Amino acid sequence: MHQGGQEPDWLDEDEMQAWMALVRLLVRLPSALDAQLRRDASITHFEYQVLAQLSMAEGHTMRMSDLAQLADGSLSRLSHTATRLEKRGWISRATDPEDGRYTIATLTKSGMTKMVATAPGHVAAVREHVFEPLTTRQVQQLAAIANRIVGSIDSDTGPA
Amino acid sequence: MHQGGQEPDWLDEDEMQAWMALVRLLVRLPSALDAQLRRDASITHFEYQVLAQLSMAEGHTMRMSDLAQLADGSLSRLSHTATRLEKRGWISRATDPEDGRYTIATLTKSGMTKMVATAPGHVAAVREHVFEPLTTRQVQQLAAIANRIVGSIDSDTGPA
DNA sequence: CTCTACAACTTGAACGTTCAAGTCATTCCC
DNA sequence: GGGAATGACTTGAACGTTCAAGTTGTAGAG
């Protein structure tokens, strides 16, 4: 808010250009990736993330709260999403026998099949729009930049 | 399974790390900026973009279709948004007298006041989360990277 | 052992976006 | 000049996310 140095009220020309480019990226890339998943798999990017995290977990099982964090979403959002995924038969939920407060989500066999069918197309889209247009060096730069920005947001609000 | 040619099926470790960092950025930065605008100005980021574009236009006036493109949204989305902004008294719409197919949106005096009150806080948030955590060099890199990725998306779908 | 506090969900309503029509004005072509 | 084609919106319903309760389960204090 008030770093010691100078904080002009507006952005200079270079900053403005970078900012507009970033806004376009923030709008277009998510919508392009969402569009591919909706078109080819009738699934949301967030739903994909949920299924993907489960498919990578031990026993294809995870607590809802851990899953929410890994998939970058609120618990409420995950709960609604889980309801939908359950209706489609891709996951199931059960109370954690070791602690009744937790709910454990499990990827079903059908859900795993869905992932196997969906992942290659999605990875291809990511590759096409992110890794193909960039040099190896730019990919490293991007990772560093993204981590820096997210770090700044985390230190502002809940770092958890 | 992979290594066949230039397109392996999965991402290697560096790519995976970069990809996860990017996804986090794509989720967290928009929501952080939206949150600031909602909290301090009861306005959406898209609504802000619309008002900002109008405030920068000649005569604070623009065709809906041009506005939709500059604000990176569909015409339908802009139309709904315009209805809301009109109800709040920040813009007005009128048929283009030179061509009845177009609709011209104009920022009202009250809308300009809103912008003047809202912009500094939003710019501060952008500065805090984007420019402060990055070096000048990283800002340049980010702009180049964003343009590359958006270019790839544009060349795939509608370049317009 | 009960009472309070808290954490992990779940739910329903409100909100914004998308999608698929639908309306209206202009242009093109015969 | 009439009729199809095109482009610029607008509208309403469906969908997903957020926000504000509400429920349930456990731990901790007394």
Side-chain angles (χ1 to χ4, degrees):
Chain A
M1 292 303 162
H2 35 57
Q3 300 286 336
Q6 63 273 54
E7 287 230 8
D9 269 324
W10 196 238
L11 306 173
D12 66 37
E13 202 171 329
D14 283 359
E15 287 173 330
M16 193 63 186
Q17 203 185 351
W19 173 236
M20 291 188 342
L22 178 54
V23 169
R24 267 197 299 278
L25 176 69
L26 259 29
V27 170
R28 293 260 178 87
L29 184 54
S31 93
L33 295 172
D34 246 61
Q36 181 270 323
L37 284 171
R38 283 197 138 96
R39 179 167 39 79
D40 298 346
S42 300
I43 219 180
T44 292
H45 185 255
F46 183 68
E47 290 173 337
Y48 178 87
Q49 269 187 298
V50 169
L51 294 179
Q53 291 296 342
L54 279 178
S55 76
M56 292 188 290
E58 297 275 323
H60 294 170
T61 269
M62 217 180 293
R63 287 178 173 173
M64 290 286 280
S65 38
D66 294 343
L67 193 47
Q69 280 208 296
L70 280 178
D72 270 315
S74 67
L75 201 43
S76 168
R77 184 184 186 182
L78 176 60
S79 185
H80 284 296
T81 300
T83 302
R84 263 175 278 136
L85 294 177
E86 219 171 14
K87 270 181 189 141
R88 300 226 242 170
W90 294 329
I91 71 168
S92 63
R93 277 181 290 185
T95 302
D96 186 339
E98 293 177 11
D99 186 336
R101 286 170 298 185
Y102 292 95
T103 299
I104 286 179
T106 305
L107 194 65
T108 63
K109 197 152 182 152
S110 165
M112 193 61 198
T113 304
K114 177 69 181 173
M115 262 291 93
V116 169
T118 303
H122 184 57
V123 171
V126 170
R127 189 172 288 291
E128 178 186 1
H129 293 315
V130 178
F131 295 108
E132 298 249 339
L134 302 181
T135 65
T136 304
R137 209 184 165 78
Q138 283 179 313
V139 170
Q140 293 164 350
Q141 292 168 356
L142 178 56
I145 288 167
N147 285 329
R148 235 50 193 86
I149 293 177
V150 172
S152 142
I153 294 169
D154 277 351
S155 70
D156 229 48
T157 56
Chain B
M1 249 346 145
H2 45 79
Q3 290 287 89
Q6 307 105 323
E7 291 226 10
D9 270 325
W10 194 238
L11 305 173
D12 65 37
E13 202 170 330
D14 283 359
E15 286 173 331
M16 194 62 186
Q17 203 185 352
W19 173 234
M20 292 189 341
L22 178 55
V23 169
R24 267 197 299 277
L25 176 69
L26 259 30
V27 169
R28 294 259 178 87
L29 183 54
S31 93
L33 296 172
D34 246 61
Q36 182 270 323
L37 284 171
R38 283 198 138 96
R39 179 167 40 79
D40 298 347
S42 299
I43 220 181
T44 292
H45 185 256
F46 184 68
E47 290 172 338
Y48 178 86
Q49 270 187 298
V50 169
L51 295 180
Q53 291 295 343
L54 278 179
S55 76
M56 292 189 290
E58 297 272 323
H60 294 170
T61 269
M62 217 180 293
R63 285 179 175 172
M64 290 287 280
S65 38
D66 295 343
L67 194 47
Q69 281 209 295
L70 280 179
D72 269 315
S74 67
L75 201 44
S76 168
R77 183 184 187 182
L78 176 60
S79 185
H80 284 296
T81 299
T83 301
R84 264 175 277 136
L85 294 177
E86 220 171 14
K87 271 181 190 143
R88 300 227 242 170
W90 294 329
I91 72 166
S92 62
R93 277 181 290 186
T95 303
D96 186 339
E98 293 178 10
D99 186 334
R101 284 170 300 186
Y102 292 95
T103 299
I104 286 180
T106 304
L107 194 64
T108 63
K109 197 150 181 156
S110 163
M112 194 60 198
T113 303
K114 177 71 181 173
M115 263 292 93
V116 170
T118 304
H122 183 58
V123 171
V126 170
R127 190 173 287 291
E128 178 186 1
H129 293 315
V130 178
F131 295 109
E132 297 250 340
L134 301 182
T135 65
T136 305
R137 209 185 164 80
Q138 282 179 314
V139 170
Q140 293 165 350
Q141 291 168 356
L142 178 56
I145 288 168
N147 285 329
R148 240 40 198 91
I149 292 176
V150 171
S152 142
I153 294 169
D154 277 350
S155 71
D156 230 47
T157 55

